[in-house]
Amino acid sequence: MKYLPFELHTHTQHSDGDFIVSELIENAKKAGLAGIALTDHNTYSGYNEASDEGKKLEVLVIPGIEWTTFYGHLTVLGGSASNDWRVVSPATIKENVLSARKSGACIGVAHPTRVGYPICTGGWDDFLLKPSEYGIFTHYEVWSYLNPSVQHANLLSERKYASICEENIRLACVYGRDWHRGDSNVVYAATYLGIQGDLSIDNALDAIRNGRTYISCGLHAIFVLNDTNGVEYNVGARVRAGEYRFSGKISYFSDYYTKLNSIEYMEISLIGNGGNYTVPINKDGFFEFNLKCKEKKYLQPVVYGNVKGIYSKLLLATPYFFE
Amino acid sequence: MIEAKTKQNLLVWSLKKVFDKKDDRKHFKYTFLIDSNNYDSLIILFRYNPKDVKVDERLKMCLTELAIKSDCDAELLIKENKELKNLITLSIDSPHGYLGAAHRHNNNAKIIINQLKSSQGFLPSPITKGLWAITLSTHCILSNKVDVKIEVYAQ
């Protein structure tokens, strides 16, 4: 299992991006990404070129589309192109999403708390679903856009995501840069996907479907949750209630990004309705502690530290769910 | 400006329409018939006006409501948005299915559908005989009136 960085929300001139397709792939390569999802608004027309360019530069390109509806934006990754974004509304959202998933797609809510109409129609999630109804999706863009760890909109998304987790619904925690142009010297994050086997579209989608994800500003993480028999579980796993040992290692993704944004990790927490544990991460990046969690609760790994001198969350993972 | 048609182009469908606020956030589907398999391309000229909308008292109220909903500063939101934009996107369905959309703020667009290469946002497609559809999606109609003009030429 390898956790590899992806950008799952990108645009080109095939919709309203400034990037030509090759520029997007070149920028993804420069950023050290293993892959992207091309999610132009309401079109797949850039995918073939993106896939070809990706093969040249060894950047995996997941076919995708951003259903840009009046009631919310949804990133649809993989699957068939047969579903029609124009029929998606609060009245039909459940059947539309389940139909897309039946075709093999992962589908999730993009920037759920961005300012919406009349500035950005559909920027805010207006599908009017209760937290208990979000189980139709596979992922949730907990962080969006630039400076993700300090954006007020993302704090609102974190709260909404927590309310969904409290319903015992597992959605992969993902980031969407909503990458339209080649802005430089900016703080951004990536979604790390836990890839089992070769780096492929199917294995990337499998990671999202099973919640093997974390989002981070410049940090790479290894998380190990062991039960008392030594069995190891990935982030996003559904495990039995009981006692566990949580350990791992945090490291910096790249010297360049770390220096540019003054990234410094400090503590790690497991937070959620299953408890609140916090320990320091030692200078070599290691941490470990014991925990106990009751059934129907969740605990989410969160790493804290500094980014450009501001203390904030640097990493969020899909929670462990205790059953 | 919409370009004048050339001699080789056959006007197969056109639309002049005025949208107003009651048409906001709706889809308007129009169909037209292509009567032959002998065309190489469809050329769609799509224009709407106005694009920019000055924020008046009514829109200030709208932004204030948005700020409350989004838990952000209303004064700042109004200060940062002196002008807003009407947004209408155009999507196309061939007789065989969805080809794509032009989801961008350009309000004076020329879209070409061709079996080898289409305009960005649209899949390449042969111009097959049968019923084609253009859908206008009014993502944001803020002006009292928005004039829309579409001309479809077969080549």
Side-chain angles (χ1 to χ4, degrees):
Chain A
M1 166 91 69
K2 282 184 287 191
Y3 279 84
L4 299 174
F6 279 70
E7 175 45 59
L8 298 176
H9 190 158
T10 70
H11 297 277
T12 69
Q13 291 180 7
H14 282 267
S15 60
D16 61 352
D18 289 349
F19 283 128
I20 60 171
V21 169
S22 59
E23 281 176 331
L24 171 64
I25 304 299
E26 284 161 16
N27 276 270
K29 184 70 180 177
K30 275 186 209 163
L33 298 175
I36 64 157
L38 181 64
T39 54
D40 270 312
H41 297 287
N42 299 330
T43 185
Y44 286 99
S45 63
Y47 176 68
N48 287 343
E49 185 187 353
S51 178
D52 291 345
E53 293 293 327
K55 280 172 191 157
K56 285 183 207 164
L57 294 182
E58 296 184 325
V59 174
L60 182 71
V61 181
I62 300 169
I65 189 168
E66 184 176 10
W67 284 356
T68 307
T69 82
F70 308 145
Y71 315 97
H73 297 187
L74 305 169
T75 52
V76 185
L77 314 178
S80 77
S82 61
N83 294 285
D84 189 342
W85 65 275
R86 294 165 297 190
V87 302
V88 180
S89 72
T92 64
I93 180 73
K94 289 180 188 172
E95 62 185 276
N96 297 143
V97 169
L98 292 174
S99 169
R101 287 196 62 182
K102 205 172 172 184
S103 80
C106 288
I107 179 163
V109 184
H111 46 69
T113 52
R114 181 173 295 175
V115 289
Y117 178 90
I119 292 176
C120 172
T121 303
W124 182 277
D125 172 7
D126 270 325
F127 284 113
L128 309 175
L129 295 169
K130 295 174 196 154
S132 61
E133 296 174 308
Y134 277 78
I136 56 175
F137 297 107
T138 50
H139 56 280
Y140 194 84
E141 232 176 60
V142 182
W143 279 357
S144 172
Y145 204 45
L146 302 175
N147 304 308
S149 60
V150 294
Q151 264 207 52
H152 183 65
N154 289 342
L155 296 177
L156 301 180
S157 297
E158 287 176 23
R159 284 183 211 153
K160 287 197 167 191
Y161 183 65
S163 70
I164 295 166
C165 292
E166 281 170 14
E167 297 290 339
N168 197 28
I169 290 169
R170 181 190 66 196
L171 302 182
C173 177
V174 303
Y175 164 74
R177 182 169 174 174
D178 206 352
W179 206 2
H180 285 73
R181 52 196 60 86
D183 30 23
S184 56
N185 297 333
V186 292
V187 179
Y188 58 90
T191 305
Y192 285 72
L193 303 183
I195 305 285
Q196 284 181 331
D198 297 336
L199 178 59
S200 68
I201 293 168
D202 284 347
N203 288 340
L205 295 177
D206 183 70
I208 296 168
R209 229 173 261 125
N210 289 289
R212 295 193 304 273
T213 67
Y214 63 84
I215 59 179
S216 122
C217 283
L219 298 181
H220 184 267
I222 298 170
F223 296 119
V224 182
L225 185 74
N226 285 117
D227 66 16
T228 50
N229 296 318
V231 178
E232 192 176 312
Y233 298 96
N234 298 307
V235 291
R238 291 192 178 277
V239 300
R240 286 201 299 185
E243 294 180 7
Y244 290 86
R245 183 154 195 80
F246 186 55
S247 61
K249 185 176 190 305
I250 305 299
S251 54
Y252 296 107
F253 173 62
S254 80
D255 289 343
Y256 174 73
Y257 186 93
T258 303
K259 282 178 188 163
L260 183 69
N261 297 308
S262 307
I263 305 288
E264 182 188 12
Y265 58 73
M266 298 170 86
E267 294 101 29
I268 181 159
S269 296
L270 279 177
I271 55 177
N273 61 0
N276 191 338
Y277 302 83
T278 299
V279 298
I281 300 165
N282 77 19
K283 63 180 174 50
D284 297 317
F286 291 98
F287 63 88
E288 61 177 330
F289 58 92
N290 296 324
L291 65 98
K292 192 175 180 181
C293 194
K294 291 179 181 171
E295 64 183 9
K296 294 185 180 171
K297 303 289 183 187
Y298 77 92
L299 288 170
Q300 180 180 31
V302 180
V303 174
Y304 294 87
N306 288 327
V307 53
K308 285 192 183 289
I310 299 171
Y311 181 78
S312 65
K313 291 168 184 166
L314 296 181
L315 182 152
L316 304 171
T318 306
Y320 299 98
F321 289 84
F322 295 83
E323 300 187 325
Chain B
M1 293 291 291
I2 285 187
E3 294 174 15
K5 70 183 180 98
T6 65
K7 284 181 183 174
Q8 293 84 7
N9 294 345
L10 175 70
L11 180 65
V12 292
W13 184 76
S14 67
L15 172 78
K16 276 188 182 179
K17 187 168 174 61
V18 179
F19 284 127
D20 61 28
K21 286 173 201 162
K22 74 176 185 319
D23 299 319
D24 195 16
R25 285 172 285 178
K26 290 180 181 163
H27 301 288
F28 297 86
K29 185 175 180 179
Y30 306 97
T31 55
F32 56 94
L33 190 67
I34 294 293
D35 61 358
S36 151
N37 284 321
N38 295 330
Y39 299 114
D40 293 327
S41 303
L42 280 188
I43 300 165
I44 295 130
L45 306 177
F46 169 46
R47 180 174 65 182
Y48 65 93
N49 278 301
K51 182 66 195 172
D52 297 321
V53 188
K54 196 174 175 188
V55 171
D56 57 12
E57 290 307 311
R58 175 181 63 89
L59 288 175
K60 278 184 187 170
M61 283 294 290
C62 195
L63 289 174
T64 302
E65 286 171 17
L66 176 65
I68 293 166
K69 179 177 180 175
S70 313
D71 193 24
C72 61
D73 187 318
E75 279 185 30
L76 188 63
L77 203 61
I78 291 167
K79 193 177 168 187
E80 288 175 347
N81 292 280
K82 302 275 189 209
E83 277 192 341
L84 295 171
K85 292 182 187 303
N86 293 314
L87 176 61
I88 304 172
T89 65
L90 182 151
S91 51
I92 301 173
D93 293 80
S94 80
H96 306 291
Y98 185 69
L99 296 182
H103 190 103
R104 52 184 75 92
H105 271 289
N106 180 8
N107 63 330
N108 187 3
K110 179 180 181 181
I111 297 157
I112 298 174
I113 303 297
N114 179 280
Q115 68 176 343
L116 298 177
K117 189 178 182 186
S118 293
S119 298
Q120 293 188 109
F122 299 90
L123 296 169
S125 169
I127 311 306
T128 48
K129 187 177 171 180
L131 206 58
W132 287 65
I134 282 178
T135 302
L136 296 179
S137 301
T138 54
H139 295 262
C140 203
I141 298 288
L142 298 173
S143 304
N144 291 330
K145 287 182 177 178
V146 179
D147 292 307
V148 179
K149 186 176 181 185
I150 302 174
E151 293 169 358
V152 179
Y153 296 95
Q155 190 177 63

